[in-house]
DNA sequence: TTGTAAGCGTTATCAC
DNA sequence: GTGATAACGCTTACAA
């Protein structure tokens, strides 16, 4: 690989002049510029990003730490992040924490080794002390994506509002008892309960949550639930599409007819939700916008350093109603 | 971030000694080692990978250039690659060419800027002159994944054999006419035809291919095809699951009953294939093995440089028969 | 066993 | 306008 020094030798100028030309510094003789540029082009000169980074300026690298790239939603997100970053000349080092906190922590160290200019992350526990600590130790900008992390810059969906929207939709479709598939402290569930309450449903009596671990456990729990709630039409809200799809499968095995006896709606509106039969209704996140906002904020933090108030961008969910509700 | 020089200052030794300790060089006084190690730990020392890379040794970075990370198959592949690379201490810079050759070319330059130690790629056109050229210009190891590139190291499925397997399976299920959804020069299609011929089907009369562009075009083409082949049961082989799923959808719209009037099988055996109704049969690729082989070969090329014969690893496909055939 | 010093390819700060 | 020259943090001879 040709270097600036080499180009300098070939064009009989100093290395600093080459640097000036290549960085568009106007104070160079047009003729010299021509010559240098031609030589660089001819040898397909590529900047040594390591040297540049070492010297103290930016590496134009961003670290992206996700929980699970094989989840279609995160894969889409990664794609959009890469696209947006590229637009601004940044490349992406991708890390997949696999929901392993030790690994996540390790990755927070690895990004430092490469002197990335900033980090975009989907933390495993965005409000844990450990996460806050790793993020603080890292003395570069960090933006949390898809989650709301206390005291940190973030871009995320209004999960609470999403829960409310779902509540409204399920009620409108005439469901009478409500089930959330996911953790009881999930913000979506909170919003779901609040939304139902607002519309006159007693959350204490009519709403409940079941965690999803595997198909067999879900089958037992759902079977049980449907027996107890024999007379009612059930509206199910799953914390993501993958979970909802497992739900659909289990309902099929239990011979519970979807839209008659129950309705089910997922979250993320992943591509595959449209491929189910029935097509899975879902809450859509504006992925492209989320990626664009996150990247653009991260880069502005990188390029205009210094203290600043915490920045939070809340995006609005929308319902992608299909056939399962 | 603390540096070796800084640790040296704090522990009253020279920077080279710190380097020796941190690199596990045995020729250091155990007591000194203790002291240095303790100091490094205390300040959470992280190697400056830029300086190390600049100095001429490895960056421990691999460039991964994919065509479309939002395709579940590639997302899984990326996940496995990252996992395998991590095991050996490498990180991954990920690029998504979006099937854009200009972008792919650009990425081949970007990886040079970061002095990645090697590249793992799913090229857009693995046998094009442009690709061969970009790969050659890059004077670091390149391993092609999922495709077979003439004259280059690669790990890929035996696509030809996959076509043959599918031929056998569809015939066994009693289909009489055969349709390939994809390009006529696809190796899978070649193998498919050969497999059918071997089993006594006349490829000229009974086998044909249709390219897939969008649902409407596919609907017209399939409608037409099914009318012409009115009396026959049709076996359809799609070049990947995404295409197959579009096929399923179109068949549904045309009211053509799957498994009665026709069967359809995809490729990649992506997660979502199991979520369809009917569940989509598919050809499975050993993703984990492919990633492991590719990474391990790439790293051995990196760590044992020098000329070597072209290496090709052909993995065997397996059929994941579900409900659509 | 330890320290000194050169060099990797940049950018940035000076003089000229 | 241009060219020296000093960093940046590391590895690697070479010297002691």
């Amino acid at each position: 690989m040709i270097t600036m020094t080499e180009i300098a030798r070939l064009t009989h100028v100093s290395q600093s002049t080459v640097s000036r030309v290549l960085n568009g510094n106007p104070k160079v003789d047009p003729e010299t510029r021509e010559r240098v540029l031609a030589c660089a082009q001819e040898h397909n000169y590529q900047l040594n990003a390591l040297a540049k980074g070492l010297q103290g300026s930016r590496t134009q690298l961003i670290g992206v730490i996700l929980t699970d790239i094989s989840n279609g939603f995160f894969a889409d997100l990664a794609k959009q992040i890469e696209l947006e970053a590229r637009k601004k000349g940044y490349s992406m080092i991708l890390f997949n924490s696999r929901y392993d906190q030790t690994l996540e922590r390790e990755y927070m160290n690895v990004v430092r080794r490469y002197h990335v200019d900033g980090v975009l992350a989907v933390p495993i526990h965005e409000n844990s002390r450990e996460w806050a600590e790793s993020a603080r130790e890292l003395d570069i900008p960090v933006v949390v994506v898809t989650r709301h992390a206390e005291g940190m810059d973030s871009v995320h969906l209004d999960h609470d509002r999403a829960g409310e929207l779902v509540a409204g939709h399920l009620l409108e479709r005439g469901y009478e008892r409500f089930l959330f598939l996911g953790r009881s402290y999930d913000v979506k569930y909170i919003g779901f309960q609040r939304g139902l309450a607002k519309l006159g449903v007693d959350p204490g009596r009519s709403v409940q949550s079941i965690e999803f671990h595997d198909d067999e456990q879900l089958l037992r729990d759902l079977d049980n639930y449907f027996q107890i709630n024999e007379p009612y039409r059930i509206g199910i809200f799953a914390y993501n599409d993958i979970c909802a799809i497992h739900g659909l499968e289990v309902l099929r095995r239990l011979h519970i007819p979807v839209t008659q006896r129950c309705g089910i709606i997922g979250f993320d509106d992943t591509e595959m939700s449209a491929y189910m039969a029935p097509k899975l209704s879902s809450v859509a996140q504006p992925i492209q916008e989320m990626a664009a906002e996150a990247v653009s904020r991260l880069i502005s933090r990188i390029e205009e350093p210094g203290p600043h108030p915490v920045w939070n961008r809340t995006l609005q969910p929308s319902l992608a109603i299909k056939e399962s509700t």
Side-chain angles (χ1 to χ4, degrees), chain A residues 6 33 43 95 210:
Chain A
E6 191 66 6
R33 149 171 294 116
H43 295 85
F95 301 92
I210 291 180

Side-chain angles (χ1 to χ4, degrees), chain A residues 177-181 192 208-210 222 225 234-237:
Chain A
R177 286 287 184 274
F178 304 91
L179 188 58
F180 177 74
L181 298 185
F192 187 44
Q208 137 175 16
S209 75
I210 291 180
L222 278 186
Y225 180 85
I234 313 297
I236 305 175
F237 177 25

Side-chain angles (χ1 to χ4, degrees), chain A residues 90-130:
Chain A
Y90 283 75
S91 298
M92 151 176 112
I93 312 202
L94 185 73
F95 301 92
N96 204 42
S97 70
R98 288 169 261 154
Y99 295 99
D100 175 339
Q101 290 198 67
T102 313
L103 200 54
E104 182 182 68
R105 180 105 201 183
E106 154 81 359
Y107 285 159
M108 291 295 270
N109 281 328
V110 176
V111 295
R112 308 175 69 187
R113 299 213 265 272
Y114 288 103
H115 285 228
V116 300
D117 294 334
V119 167
L120 237 41
V122 178
I124 300 172
H125 295 303
E126 66 275 19
N127 287 313
S128 68
R129 208 174 40 69
E130 291 84 359

Side-chain angles (χ1 to χ4, degrees), chain A residues 1-291:
Chain A
M1 282 247 310
I2 196 167
T3 65
M4 286 191 179
T5 315
E6 191 66 6
I7 293 180
R9 205 177 54 72
L10 292 171
T11 55
H12 310 290
V13 293
S14 74
Q15 181 265 324
S16 347
T17 299
V18 176
S19 174
R20 285 191 196 96
V21 171
L22 265 18
N23 286 297
N25 187 319
K27 295 168 141 189
V28 272
D29 184 288
E31 209 233 296
T32 317
R33 149 171 294 116
E34 253 346 276
R35 207 146 33 91
V36 169
L37 243 26
C39 180
Q41 195 120 49
E42 184 191 348
H43 295 85
N44 188 18
Y45 168 79
Q46 296 294 330
L47 175 74
N48 184 329
L50 304 178
K52 184 179 173 180
L54 176 59
Q55 194 280 323
S57 89
R58 318 259 90 107
T59 51
Q60 310 270 105
L61 271 181
I62 64 175
V64 175
I65 306 180
L66 299 178
T67 49
D68 180 16
I69 183 73
S70 66
N71 174 330
F73 171 70
F74 291 124
D76 275 351
L77 188 68
K79 177 186 187 170
Q80 295 300 329
I81 287 174
E82 202 258 357
L83 193 148
E84 294 294 331
R86 180 87 262 134
K87 279 187 195 166
K88 318 205 177 188
Y90 283 75
S91 298
M92 151 176 112
I93 312 202
L94 185 73
F95 301 92
N96 204 42
S97 70
R98 288 169 261 154
Y99 295 99
D100 175 339
Q101 290 198 67
T102 313
L103 200 54
E104 182 182 68
R105 180 105 201 183
E106 154 81 359
Y107 285 159
M108 291 295 270
N109 281 328
V110 176
V111 295
R112 308 175 69 187
R113 299 213 265 272
Y114 288 103
H115 285 228
V116 300
D117 294 334
V119 167
L120 237 41
V122 178
I124 300 172
H125 295 303
E126 66 275 19
N127 287 313
S128 68
R129 208 174 40 69
E130 291 84 359
W131 165 253
E133 203 171 299
S134 323
R136 196 162 16 78
E137 275 176 14
L138 208 61
D139 46 358
I140 51 168
V142 175
V143 173
V144 168
V145 210
T146 79
R147 313 266 173 93
H148 172 64
E150 208 52 63
M152 305 185 58
D153 291 346
S154 67
V155 197
H156 55 88
L157 200 73
D158 189 338
H159 283 90
D160 193 68
R161 173 82 188 118
E164 240 183 82
L165 275 181
V166 170
H169 169 67
L170 291 179
L171 268 175
E172 187 190 303
R173 293 290 161 104
Y175 297 101
E176 302 152 311
R177 286 287 184 274
F178 304 91
L179 188 58
F180 177 74
L181 298 185
R183 297 173 189 274
S184 59
Y185 51 81
D186 193 314
V187 187
K188 304 193 244 307
Y189 183 40
I190 312 291
F192 187 44
Q193 289 174 301
R194 209 165 36 81
L196 288 167
K198 260 193 200 167
L199 295 165
V201 175
D202 173 9
R205 297 209 63 75
S206 311
V207 192
Q208 137 175 16
S209 75
I210 291 180
E211 274 197 35
F212 165 66
H213 302 291
D214 60 69
D215 280 12
E216 296 318 311
Q217 160 262 329
L218 184 62
L219 187 126
R220 281 192 306 277
D221 287 355
L222 278 186
D223 190 19
N224 188 33
Y225 180 85
F226 274 85
Q227 280 178 23
I228 292 174
N229 292 278
E230 185 59 49
Y232 304 109
R233 287 186 70 223
I234 313 297
I236 305 175
F237 177 25
Y239 82 98
N240 76 12
D241 279 358
I242 295 177
C243 175
I245 286 165
H246 283 273
L248 269 179
E249 168 68 11
V250 164
L251 290 169
R252 200 184 56 74
R253 284 170 59 191
L254 289 171
H255 306 291
I256 297 172
V258 171
T259 68
Q260 284 94 65
R261 180 70 208 286
C262 74
I264 181 165
I265 181 167
F267 205 95
D268 293 342
D269 194 35
T270 49
E271 203 191 353
M272 66 180 170
S273 69
Y275 299 140
M276 304 296 108
K279 289 186 175 39
L280 181 69
S281 295
S282 194
V283 178
Q285 306 202 38
I287 296 186
Q288 201 263 315
E289 193 182 353
M290 199 176 309

